[in-house]
Amino acid sequence: MSASVADPQAHTRPVPSSVDAVVVGAGFSGMYLLHKLRALGLSTVVFEAGTDVGGTWYWNRYPGARVDVESLAYSYSFDSDLEQDFEWQERYPTQPEILRYAQHVAERFDLRKDIVFRTRVASAQYDEDSRTWKVRTEHGDAVTARFLVMATGCLSSSKLPEIPGLESYKGTTYHTAHWPHEGVDFTGLRVGLIGTGSSGVQSIPVIAEQAAELVVFQRTPAYTVPARNGPLDPDERAKIKAEYSTFRATNRQMPAAFGSRLPASDRSALEVDAEERRAEYEYRWQKGLGLAFIGAFNDVLISPESNESAAEFVRSKIRDIVPDPEVARKLTPHQVIGCKRLCLDTGYYETFNRPNVELVDLRDTPIEAITPTGIRTTEGEHELDCIVYATGFDAMTGALLRIDIRGRDGLPLQEAWAAGPRTYLGLGVAGFPNLFTITGPGSPSVLTNMMVSIEQHVNWIADCMDHLRRQGHRTIEASEPAQDLWVEIVNAMAGITLFPTCNSWYLGANVPGKTRVFMPFVGFPMYAEKCTQVAQDGYEGFVLSG
Ligand code: FAD
């Protein structure tokens, strides 16, 4: 496997033995948190497994990688000079542009001096007597900290499929989430690609243009809408920047905090006739409004009939784009649309019209094994020079549970979450004092424009730490009853929607053996209001002590 892993040759800087806060991860969450904690005067060290900042955008360098929220919305809002100075070039920027942005932020706020790169946190143990966390890295450093914040990312623990013979393959393998920094030249090669989630949908058209042959192994067909990406119109960019705070405030009031080019619809798909419905979907399809396609009507994720109207619209587009009826059949999804994250693409369905692309539907012909020379399905062997795994992540809990975190009485987080993750507000866990999770399970997180969720969490956590200090409290911990109630609320909210109806990674269904629990909270504005209320009410549902 070609992967960029933490360099065993230790750190880029000395590690302090004691700090106020340890932050794990230097993606957008960890970077902003470091900036905020510095402003509070809290000594902070950030550990990061990679060699630089950027998190997701540092690791996922596969061809075609880009964000599916528009750049002007997928960016920090905390500093108006930064907002004004950084000039996004594309509507849906590529991974290199987003990484450049992360690096710009690191330089601008001089963040790197408190980040220890190439260093993976291995364990964290709470000590009742000193009421501190002892954090250990894989290099053997130990740091004592009052606060421990997991900015480890919801989609940072990559997953390989469990296929017999995986290790026997003699060609080159790549995982989209560990793409070589120097890039990959597929010219003249026979490439196999497994997985048609977002990373597959983005990379397939680009790899197909280069490779001699591309064989796509598909388990579940994807719903995807055209991004219609392009350079940002300078006038439009200037217009949004002139009213940036209003633009941001509008976003925060949208159910998933995506960009605000269109107000959220207040109509049911069933309120209008078939022609008007189709016109609305067609408008969003043509304009490349991305995830706002699902927001065409207010009940697409609630009413099966409304959902079917949106799903059928996309299916009709597949039939229009792909003339071969057998290929179109294989590409056509039948699950609820939006139940798995809707993808944005540039020429995805069209790619299957190319003579050098073959689609293998694993529902018809499952993979039997990976062999030394390729992939064998029930239909026969595909000889391949390399295999790309676009097989995603152990989402939301994977990166947290990879670390041996032990709370009060030595309770391992793995045990506390044996029946699925349990948190209060996705911010705190009962039994784990002074531990915070950014965009953790039980918060809106992956259902939203994550930059907005990240800022909301970081602001809340920093305010909370400031409050504890001012009030002379030593610890904060979610109470069991508040946590139990919150878990019920998260489930109840999901139950109103169609989200739990398919085998998505939101439910952990992509990881064999993972307990199926719908992890994110549905509805950003309501959630943010609840967090504010909790803080205003003296951190209701948390126990503050000391
Ligand atoms: P990350 O960016 O994942 O950073 C976490 C960091 O923690 C990583 O660098 C990792 O190396 C480090 N880390 C983890 N464990 C340890 C450890 N034990 N020790 C040390 N370091 C550790 N979101 C959107 O809103 N819109 C999108 O369009 C979108 N597209 C995406 C596309 C892809 C391919 C992926 C993978 C994610 C996408 N996301 C998108 C989600 C994206 O993860 C967030 O938007 C955001 O970048 C998360 O930032 P973060 O800092 O919370 O986590």
Side-chain angles (χ1 to χ4, degrees):
M1 173 75 44
S2 194
S4 308
V5 291
D7 188 328
Q9 287 172 8
H11 329 98
T12 46
R13 61 188 76 256
V15 176
S17 59
S18 170
V19 286
D20 292 320
V22 163
V23 177
V24 190
F28 286 126
S29 298
M31 292 169 68
Y32 178 38
L33 186 65
L34 171 60
H35 177 67
K36 284 290 280 189
L37 298 189
R38 266 189 197 161
L40 287 178
L42 296 177
S43 59
T44 305
V45 63
V46 181
F47 290 111
E48 167 55 55
T51 61
D52 199 6
V53 296
T56 289
W57 309 103
Y58 167 89
W59 295 105
N60 291 263
R61 299 174 189 235
Y62 59 83
R66 58 176 76 245
V67 73
D68 58 16
V69 178
E70 296 195 35
S71 51
L72 288 159
Y74 187 82
S75 47
Y76 287 125
S77 70
F78 70 82
D79 185 281
S80 56
D81 291 339
L82 166 67
E83 231 174 26
Q84 293 299 328
D85 292 351
F86 194 85
E87 295 285 33
W88 290 101
Q89 300 304 311
E90 283 191 72
R91 181 179 181 191
Y92 295 108
T94 58
Q95 172 272 328
E97 189 175 0
I98 307 168
L99 184 58
R100 263 199 312 281
Y101 173 72
Q103 290 167 340
H104 169 81
V105 173
E107 270 147 42
R108 192 174 182 111
F109 299 104
D110 196 14
L111 298 180
R112 288 191 182 94
K113 71 171 191 247
D114 290 319
I115 305 175
V116 184
F117 292 106
R118 303 166 201 260
T119 304
R120 189 169 278 285
V121 167
S123 69
Q125 182 141 17
Y126 186 68
D127 178 64
E128 297 253 15
D129 295 334
S130 60
R131 288 187 284 185
T132 56
W133 284 93
K134 176 80 87 184
V135 179
R136 290 177 202 277
T137 74
E138 284 184 351
H139 299 312
D141 325 283
V143 187
T144 303
R146 186 170 158 205
F147 298 110
L148 173 60
V149 189
M150 308 311 290
T152 41
C154 295
L155 299 170
S156 63
S157 180
S158 62
K159 226 185 86 326
L160 281 172
E162 294 184 12
I163 302 175
L166 197 104
E167 299 299 331
S168 71
Y169 182 62
K170 296 272 185 278
T172 318
T173 59
Y174 305 97
H175 192 293
T176 47
H178 298 280
W179 206 257
H181 288 200
E182 64 282 9
V184 180
D185 183 2
F186 289 110
T187 308
L189 299 181
R190 295 165 305 169
V191 183
L193 185 148
I194 302 180
T196 52
S198 191
S199 305
V201 164
Q202 291 185 338
S203 56
I204 285 165
V206 187
I207 296 174
E209 277 179 17
Q210 213 179 48
E213 218 179 280
L214 174 64
V215 187
V216 175
F217 296 86
Q218 168 195 272
R219 188 174 58 182
T220 312
Y223 286 104
T224 165
V225 295
R228 311 217 185 272
N229 186 42
L232 268 181
D233 172 3
D235 292 341
E236 197 181 349
R237 187 174 57 201
K239 199 166 142 224
I240 290 178
K241 283 193 171 187
E243 296 174 349
Y244 226 153
S245 57
T246 312
F247 176 83
R248 302 286 198 184
T250 312
N251 287 354
R252 288 187 202 106
Q253 287 312 313
M254 301 188 93
F258 292 132
S260 60
R261 284 176 186 238
L262 280 183
S265 170
D266 57 0
R267 295 186 305 173
S268 158
L270 308 177
E271 252 175 69
V272 300
D273 64 22
E275 200 180 323
E276 195 173 343
R277 241 185 341 252
R278 197 171 166 87
E280 186 64 43
Y281 294 135
E282 185 69 37
Y283 176 76
R284 289 167 192 250
W285 178 276
Q286 293 304 340
K287 289 277 173 199
L289 294 178
L291 296 158
F293 180 83
I294 293 289
F297 298 98
N298 65 6
D299 56 353
V300 171
L301 282 171
I302 294 173
S303 148
E305 293 79 19
S306 298
N307 189 279
E308 179 58 20
S309 71
E312 186 47 36
F313 176 86
V314 178
R315 292 182 203 128
S316 73
K317 289 292 185 190
I318 298 171
R319 291 191 291 271
D320 290 349
I321 295 169
V322 181
D324 181 328
E326 182 54 11
V327 178
R329 178 191 72 78
K330 289 179 182 173
L331 281 173
T332 299
H334 290 285
Q335 71 273 17
V336 156
I337 187 170
C339 169
K340 294 185 172 203
R341 193 174 171 106
L342 182 69
C343 302
L344 257 71
D345 72 277
T346 301
Y348 176 70
Y349 295 128
E350 289 84 345
T351 297
F352 294 90
N353 296 334
R354 295 176 65 105
N356 68 333
V357 176
E358 182 184 350
L359 178 62
V360 177
D361 188 339
L362 301 179
R363 294 164 305 174
D364 297 341
T365 53
I367 293 179
E368 285 183 342
I370 295 190
T371 67
T373 52
I375 297 179
R376 191 176 72 237
T377 69
T378 49
E379 201 181 30
E381 171 128 8
H382 296 267
E383 298 227 328
L384 301 164
D385 299 311
C386 53
I387 299 176
V388 175
Y389 293 104
T391 43
F393 302 89
D394 180 353
M396 301 202 79
T397 54
L400 293 168
L401 294 179
R402 267 175 77 173
I403 305 170
D404 182 11
I405 302 175
R406 290 174 190 248
R408 268 191 296 106
D409 306 322
L411 178 70
L413 188 64
Q414 280 98 338
E415 214 172 281
W417 285 6
R422 300 183 73 76
T423 71
Y424 179 41
L425 300 173
L427 281 161
V429 185
F432 296 80
N434 288 359
L435 172 80
F436 297 95
T437 52
I438 301 185
T439 66
S443 73
S445 180
V446 287
L447 294 180
T448 64
N449 169 0
M450 285 198 70
M451 286 300 255
V452 176
S453 286
I454 286 170
E455 285 195 328
Q456 185 255 338
H457 265 193
V458 168
N459 290 339
W460 193 95
I461 291 167
D463 288 350
C464 173
M465 289 181 184
D466 193 34
H467 174 86
L468 296 177
R469 193 170 54 173
R470 284 171 195 277
Q471 301 298 316
H473 293 299
R474 185 82 196 149
T475 59
I476 181 167
E477 179 184 345
S479 79
E480 287 278 3
Q483 179 169 283
D484 291 346
L485 182 60
W486 186 250
V487 171
E488 271 181 43
I489 292 171
V490 174
N491 281 324
M493 289 298 290
I496 297 170
T497 72
L498 299 170
F499 277 122
T501 62
C502 70
N503 288 331
S504 68
W505 53 257
Y506 299 134
L507 271 168
N510 63 329
V511 181
K514 189 166 173 174
T515 311
R516 290 197 184 195
V517 178
F518 191 79
M519 294 182 279
F521 180 89
V522 183
F524 179 79
M526 186 200 290
Y527 170 83
E529 215 172 283
K530 167 77 181 167
C531 291
T532 306
Q533 194 62 51
V534 163
Q536 278 170 1
D537 293 346
Y539 293 88
E540 190 198 2
F542 288 95
V543 179
L544 279 57
S545 66

